[in-house]
Amino acid sequence: MRLLIIATLLLVVFFSKAQPNQTTTELVMSMSQRSLVMPGYQTELKALVARQAYEFWKEGNVEPYVSHLNVYQALYEANKYLAYDSVRNLAYNQVGMHSNTVTSVHFGKESNHYYSSSTDGKILKWDLSNPRDIPETIYESDKIIQSIEMSNDGKVLMAIFYQEGLALIPTEQNPQEDIKVLEDPQPVQTATFIPGERKYLMVAKTGDLILKGFDAKSEQVGKTALKVNQLKVDEQDGTIYAGTEQGVLEAWEKPYEVKESPIEDIMKNWRQQSYFGYELGSFAINCLDISPDGNTLAIGRDRGDVILWDIPNKKLIRIISGHQSTVTDIQFNPNGDLLLTTSRDGTARIWDLTDSRKLPIILDDHDDWVLTGSFNPTGTQVITGGGDEYIRTWPVDPAYLAFRICAMINRPLTPDEWDEFVGKDIPYSVTCSE
């Protein structure tokens, strides 16, 4: 009988720890919301309430599918007002140098360096560890830069001009390198690098898919009658994917070089009924990315959703919905378990692909369309840019935001503040005790 009582008590303790505590969940969410609505001039209190909510959340005994969203937003908003530059109106994660819309951001091989392009015709190189440093201008043109692409080895950037040609630009100015700035004047719809080769693929204004080397030799490998918004080349088998304005996903499979085979036999149109097997509609496909393992194709559309497609088995995995407007950019993190999306609704979102029930982290502090976003090579940070001319940096893990609060504030919540924002029935503890 004694053993039965002990076993029962152990089971009660186990399940009380394993199951989310509704009271704790409500407390975390309530404190996060109270921190969010607190005015910016209450800087320290706003930050401490957010940090204490994080402390409760970190204990893990909370409902997992909701509270992380509130915690991240509260921590970010609190950090925004710590060491805020009121003269230049800049938050800690806000970088401003472009004089017009930021169209594209890309990391190279180095985690601390990234590149940005703008409709002002400039490509800038930034140091992520020193965001306030003046960036290096590595290219400047009087043309509107539609987007940039990075070669796999990180040595060459491609600038794609709006309704014009493109330029290939070395990321490091080294006279010993054989790569110089190469301008290709042929008008293009879009273009991309061929992984692992000194070649690039373009869709000309005529609809021809043309493969070119850095020596400007070229060969036609396909043709489309549709307007192509983005190209993506599968590193596994070389398949070319094209997202089109008409909402059709097209694919060209290797071997492109087999000239005796007609292009029509090589090209495959993935249309509404014949490929996906259900009605897709005519929503434009604006962006594509392939997971690091090569198994999943992510398709961002004008509808504001993302289609996840199983490449080997040619079947739908799921549709991710949440954005209120066009999805403008999309990228898997290096591990393939997170997906970054940006949108004209003014937000970027980080989706956990391991659990479809988990709400995304919403990065919501741009004042205009968010047109571009990228994970750094380690997957620990995200950068975004768009119509407000600013670039913003975001940590993926909220622990960084929580740490920064305690690094900048040298006091805990007072007992009176604890009673008001936490509760008199909850034992007092020192915020930022670690």
Side-chain angles (χ1 to χ4, degrees):
M1 183 67 180
R2 184 177 179 184
L3 289 174
L4 179 61
I5 292 173
I6 292 173
T8 302
L9 288 172
L10 288 173
L11 284 172
V12 169
V13 171
F14 171 79
F15 280 108
S16 66
K17 289 184 177 180
Q19 299 300 315
N21 185 309
Q22 190 63 31
T23 302
T24 305
T25 299
E26 290 176 355
L27 176 62
V28 168
M29 295 178 68
S30 173
M31 291 179 65
S32 297
Q33 289 298 321
R34 292 188 73 179
S35 174
L36 278 168
V37 301
M38 205 175 294
Y41 60 79
Q42 291 184 291
T43 307
E44 288 194 350
L45 183 57
K46 184 181 183 74
L48 288 169
V49 172
R51 167 70 195 218
Q52 189 59 52
Y54 167 81
E55 292 288 347
F56 290 135
W57 173 76
K58 191 176 64 172
E59 293 171 3
N61 196 23
V62 295
E63 200 286 315
Y65 302 118
V66 176
S67 53
H68 78 284
L69 169 63
N70 301 79
V71 167
Y72 188 98
Q73 289 181 322
L75 287 171
Y76 170 75
E77 193 70 15
N79 272 273
K80 178 179 177 178
Y81 293 99
L82 290 173
Y84 190 83
D85 186 342
S86 58
V87 176
R88 294 188 293 172
N89 197 29
L90 292 177
Y92 84 100
N93 71 325
Q94 189 175 357
V95 181
M97 278 298 293
H98 280 294
S99 59
N100 216 320
T101 299
V102 178
T103 57
S104 198
V105 290
H106 272 281
F107 277 92
K109 287 296 185 181
E110 302 174 46
S111 294
N112 282 339
H113 291 114
Y114 65 94
Y115 304 83
S116 63
S117 66
S118 169
T119 54
D120 62 13
K122 293 181 180 179
I123 297 178
L124 305 179
K125 180 180 180 180
W126 303 84
D127 185 346
L128 189 62
S129 60
N130 297 291
R132 291 289 183 265
D133 286 359
I134 296 175
E136 176 188 353
T137 300
I138 68 165
Y139 184 76
E140 191 167 359
S141 171
D142 58 358
K143 301 173 184 176
I144 296 174
I145 300 177
Q146 175 179 297
S147 62
I148 55 175
E149 296 283 334
M150 176 68 71
S151 63
N152 276 35
D153 60 10
K155 292 184 177 181
V156 184
L157 269 173
M158 178 191 296
I160 304 165
F161 303 121
Y162 179 67
Q163 294 188 341
E164 297 192 56
L166 58 83
L168 300 173
I169 306 136
T171 55
E172 300 292 341
Q173 300 297 329
N174 187 344
Q176 303 303 318
E177 289 284 343
D178 61 346
I179 300 174
K180 308 297 182 183
V181 174
L182 170 66
E183 295 201 357
D184 185 341
Q186 183 172 4
V188 298
Q189 297 181 42
T190 189
T192 192
F193 286 105
I194 299 296
E197 300 184 42
R198 290 171 63 88
K199 294 181 179 179
Y200 59 96
L201 177 74
M202 66 159 62
V203 182
K205 285 295 182 182
T206 58
D208 296 321
L209 269 75
I210 303 172
L211 190 63
K212 293 190 175 185
F214 287 0
D215 58 4
K217 291 182 179 179
S218 64
E219 60 175 319
Q220 183 175 335
V221 298
K223 188 175 181 64
T224 179
L226 306 178
K227 183 181 183 302
V228 178
N229 290 328
Q230 188 173 20
L231 291 171
K232 195 71 182 179
V233 181
D234 191 336
E235 294 187 31
Q236 307 287 335
D237 61 8
T239 299
I240 301 166
Y241 298 101
T244 69
E245 189 71 26
Q246 291 79 6
V248 175
L249 182 70
E250 294 186 323
W252 290 262
E253 297 177 347
K254 275 191 171 181
Y256 319 121
E257 64 275 6
V258 180
K259 297 302 181 184
E260 62 271 17
S261 177
I263 292 173
E264 289 74 13
D265 291 344
I266 299 172
M267 185 175 69
K268 293 184 178 180
N269 289 329
W270 296 4
R271 298 189 181 279
Q272 299 171 4
Q273 302 293 337
S274 62
Y275 197 90
F276 284 103
Y278 64 94
E279 185 66 29
L280 276 179
S282 57
F283 300 99
I285 297 172
N286 301 305
C287 46
L288 304 168
D289 197 25
I290 298 173
S291 60
D293 62 9
N295 291 331
T296 305
L297 176 67
I299 306 165
R301 304 196 299 165
D302 253 2
R303 196 178 191 181
D305 60 8
V306 173
I307 295 171
L308 295 181
W309 187 255
D310 185 328
I311 293 175
N313 299 307
K314 296 186 177 181
K315 66 178 183 179
L316 176 73
I317 298 173
R318 68 183 173 104
I319 297 177
I320 297 175
S321 300
H323 282 295
Q324 304 304 306
S325 187
T326 299
V327 176
T328 53
D329 202 1
I330 194 166
Q331 190 186 65
F332 287 94
N333 73 333
N335 292 332
D337 56 350
L338 299 177
L339 186 71
L340 172 67
T341 58
T342 65
S343 172
R344 289 182 184 170
D345 66 9
T347 71
R349 303 184 183 213
I350 302 174
W351 307 82
D352 187 338
L353 299 182
T354 65
D355 192 338
S356 61
R357 296 170 295 175
K358 196 170 182 181
L359 293 174
I361 293 175
I362 300 177
L363 312 179
D364 182 12
D365 205 16
H366 282 282
D367 295 327
D368 207 322
W369 294 351
V370 184
L371 298 177
T372 180
S374 179
F375 284 102
N376 69 340
T378 60
T380 56
Q381 292 202 65
V382 160
I383 52 174
T384 57
D388 62 1
E389 304 174 10
Y390 287 112
I391 296 169
R392 289 187 182 273
T393 63
W394 315 78
V396 174
D397 189 346
Y400 171 83
L401 296 171
F403 173 82
R404 185 173 183 269
I405 286 173
C406 290
M408 299 191 71
I409 299 176
N410 57 7
R411 76 170 184 89
L413 286 169
T414 67
D416 287 342
E417 290 169 342
W418 182 278
D419 289 348
E420 180 177 355
F421 294 98
V422 181
K424 296 181 179 180
D425 56 337
I426 298 175
Y428 178 84
S429 62
V430 177
T431 308
C432 299
S433 58
E434 295 181 355

